[in-house]
Amino acid sequence: MKDSKSVLVVGGGIAGIQASLDAADRGFKVYLVEKTPSIGGRMAQLDKTFPTMDCSICILAPKMAECYRHSNITLLTYSEVQDAKGSIGNFEVAVLKKARHVKEDKCVGCGICTEKCPVKVPNEFEMGLADRKAIYMPFPQAVPRLTTIDEENCLFFQKGTCRVCEKLCEAGAIDFDEKPEEIVLNVDAIILATGFDVFNPKAITAYGYGKYKNVITAMELERLICASGPTDGYILRPSDGKEPESVVFIQCVGSRDQRYNPYCSSICCKYAIKDAVLIREHHPEIDTYVFYIDLRAFGKGFQEFANRSKEEYGINYIRSNPGEIREDPITQDLTIWYEDTLTRTIKPLTVGLVVLCTASIPRPDNKKLSELIGVELDDLGFFRASHDIDHPVDLTVPGVYGCGFCLGPRVGDIPHSVMQAGAAVARMSEELAGMEEA
Amino acid sequence: MSKSEDTESRTHDSSHDTKLMHIVAHTPRGKGILDCIQCGRCTSSCPMARQTSRYNPRRLMEMITIGLKEEVLSNTPWYCLSCFTCVDKCPQGADVGEVIFAIRNIAAREGHIPPGIKAQGGNIIDTGKISNPTKSILKQRQEMGLPEIEPSDTEELLKILRKTGFDKIIGHK
Amino acid sequence: MKYAFFIGCLVPARELSYEFAARKILPTLDVELVDMHGANCCAPFGIQSLDYISWLALATRNLCIAEEMGLDILALCSDCYESLLMTNTILKENSDIKGQVNEVLSEIGKEFKGEIEIKHMIDVLYEDVGPEKIKNAVVTPLTDLKVATQPGCHLVRPKMLHFGSVGGYDELDELVRATGAEVIDYDGKEICCGGPIRDTFDKYSRSLINQKIKAMKKANVDCAVTICPFCFLQLDLGQREIQTRFKEELNLPIFHFPELLSIALGFKLTDPQIRDHRISINHILEKYNGYEVSS
Ligand SMILES: Cc1cc2nc3c(=O)[nH]c(=O)nc-3n(C[C@H](O)[C@H](O)[C@H](O)COP(=O)(O)OP(=O)(O)OC[C@H]3O[C@@H](n4cnc5c(N)ncnc54)[C@H](O)[C@@H]3O)c2cc1C
Ligand code: SF4
Ligand code: SF4
Ligand code: SF4
Ligand code: SF4
Ligand code: SF4
């Protein structure tokens, strides 16, 4: 194979990162396009990861750094695909590099600008549990390691005043005049790795998410238990900052529900077990309950892990799907009526914190990409494989592949995302090599 | 827990009518039985299940599936308030609150009808209404200047209800 | 705005004050009510339990009468409303069932065509009249009156069916607020009044009433408002039964919503209307000048 072959990878989560590294190691010239200011995706937000219970960012950060250093990889963060034409061996893709107003070659990531910027907005990385500034680095291990000005919230862009960051930056990295830039790339193949969004449980009004402060999502909990998160890893209730006496996980919120998402999201049982164990490790005094319909602890070592979580960590599993949560307006404790379907008892349980294990859903981005590139989506909005058994990582246009959660909830965990990344790169190499021989 | 309940899910004795589920599924309003995943959200939300342990809609669905015909058609389905809380909550559109009507329709044909409901049926045939005013109410209506209550066309209604077989279902002569 | 007025059986036989107030209030808000001649029982849940096609045929006969009048139906009773609404929806959506029902109705020379809509009084007050217009018509604002609303089941559930019409608690609460009263939330607002099992399992029917009244009282309300004759019967008559049986003083006044609206619009409740209430409402009437001593 000639070493001039090139690939566009869209999405810088674990799947896109792994695909980029694998392709780059094989000699491909890789363009990794990520729409947010940093690569990392969901995995960067997680605390520990099943199945090994390793620190998530500790595994991910070296891979992110390698992407940055690798001579075959060009990182295009804060960028989006605008247009695409051509076919396998010859795609022409237009990428829009949004203006971050901080020069990549000057910023040293010292953080002085962020410290002094007067504007506070909810921090997306911390799932809104903390604030960030209008000029910010999304998280400490961000790659590339530089700040970005968020035009929508910056005083200068909105009202024409301030420019504090510019005055304080010793490196002279701030550039208010920077314009978005369109880059046209010629690539032989495309790998899509746009990952997933989290279902907003506000739709299920009876659970009171958004109304009751102590009802949170699992993604929010990941930040709460993370030592570098907004509460330094302590489980504290959003309502009063106190430690709850008990925590409940509710499974299948918006998954396996004909009105929202009919499919099983495939990861939430496993991460609930993981998170329940983490809570008991940090705070053995907190009682934990998991309300499940079927505990889908499939895969290597998971049933054993589930069993241990019961026996060693004392987690209470209740086979039930509660229909409503009510808040005590004074204590802000939450009461859940439930039927234990195994004993047929019906009773209320009052707890301090409820974690909703919400469905993983397709990113809205998939639609635009499918229109630009011509690949099909399935009925749910994930990318459709050209054949689910024979070619599970090939998409419906030759030369375009997928990996990670954007293929839908097959087994949407990190190990499988990594495997699919490898598979996508292997299929790409195989098909491009086949073209050369022909 | 009664003895029969204790063993039912394991054994396959003659008290299990395996056809029951299919009969229910083919009754209008009964097809939801095929979609139930036994998640328990209906019972968790059902106001009646909080009043008495004799009523449990998820369990009712389970009993239909297992084929416990006696229990299913006896007085169990008449506990339901038809409040449709379960229908709003069910993640699978199995809609117990609807399936109950399928069961009640089957029960009615087999002669299990609570006396109060049977009386309602009789009243409809006789007067076209399920509740009729007393003499003193009629007087009060006059006093208040409310219009007279028109009698229903019972002849027409009888034609309809004979055609549907309603009169036979409630044993009306 | 003109509607075929489906009065049902229970309201004219037992809830005269509801009927009286509705007949008075709606026309003053420009809703014209045209009585339906020859209508029969709506075929509520008891009848639905006996036979599917009989239910639909009975209910459809009423729909045909309204179709002949060329008017949408306005119902006062939530049970009537839902039975007619379900029937109308099923027949419009399912031509097979429509055929079966029409065959039955051919016996009496009627045919369902699917030309009308079914509305609850609350639909009409919210969508056609609107809270703004009511607010402007109020002459005696019910200031400082703390009200618990009982939306009941069949106005709001199943949600799917009510999509596009009122379908929510908020609308009722907003209408009550338009009178100047304050709506107070209470535990278990969405729970059934227990009416459907009044005859079959009276013990549990009573416990549902008891829980509801207690929750309302715990929320410190002055009175409760219903929009369904069954809910009223349960909360008013049922409350008195509990009081006599268990020697418990609850004394929570219950109003049909149009009664409360009457007072706000400056009408006074008449003696026979007040006699319809088994739990005294007099102190509230006095406060808002809503009591007319009959001559
Ligand atoms: C609460 C929770 C806990 C979890 N815990 C574990 C665990 O312990 N172990 C485990 O194995 N798995 C866990 N998972 C699953 C894990 O998060 C996923 O397997 C993994 O994140 C999937 O990676 P991905 O790269 O496919 O998607 P993502 O992580 O979603 O990454 C997708 C990336 O693509 C970018 N992107 C999207 N659209 C575009 C576009 N149009 N243009 C450019 N870029 C785009 C996004 O910004 C993002 O950076 C957990 C999931 C949740 C929700
Ligand atoms: S922009 Fe300037 S002040 Fe801000 S982090 Fe970069 S170098 Fe530091
Ligand atoms: S100019 Fe904008 S980004 Fe810079 S400090 Fe002011 S508000 Fe923050
Ligand atoms: S993985 Fe578990 S919680 Fe998630 S949808 Fe599937 S069964 Fe429900
Ligand atoms: S009827 Fe619906 S809510 Fe009830 S157990 Fe079955 S699936 Fe769950
Ligand atoms: S409709 Fe019947 S089964 Fe469903 S919640 Fe109401 S009482 Fe329970």
Side-chain angles (χ1 to χ4, degrees), chain A residues 166-242:
Chain A
E166 187 185 42
K167 277 174 223 129
L168 294 176
C169 177
E170 286 170 12
I174 309 287
D175 176 5
F176 288 111
D177 299 327
E178 192 191 350
K179 295 277 169 299
E181 182 191 352
E182 192 176 274
I183 302 169
V184 178
L185 304 169
N186 269 295
V187 292
D188 295 282
I190 300 174
I191 296 178
L192 300 180
T194 53
F196 64 99
D197 255 341
V198 180
F199 170 74
N200 185 343
K202 260 191 191 155
I204 306 176
T205 48
Y207 284 162
Y209 178 79
K211 194 166 88 182
Y212 306 152
K213 284 193 179 143
N214 296 328
V215 176
I216 64 172
T217 64
M219 207 66 224
E220 288 163 28
L221 180 75
E222 290 286 344
R223 296 314 304 153
L224 279 188
I225 39 178
C226 187
S228 61
T231 55
D232 300 330
Y234 291 97
I235 304 292
L236 304 176
R237 311 201 309 169
S239 72
D240 51 13
K242 294 204 181 101

Side-chain angles (χ1 to χ4, degrees), chain B residues 35-42 58 61 90-92 94-96:
Chain B
D35 297 322
C36 175
I37 58 168
Q38 287 289 303
C39 71
R41 195 190 278 197
C42 46
R58 177 201 56 80
M61 296 291 260
C90 177
Q92 292 302 317
D95 299 349
V96 189

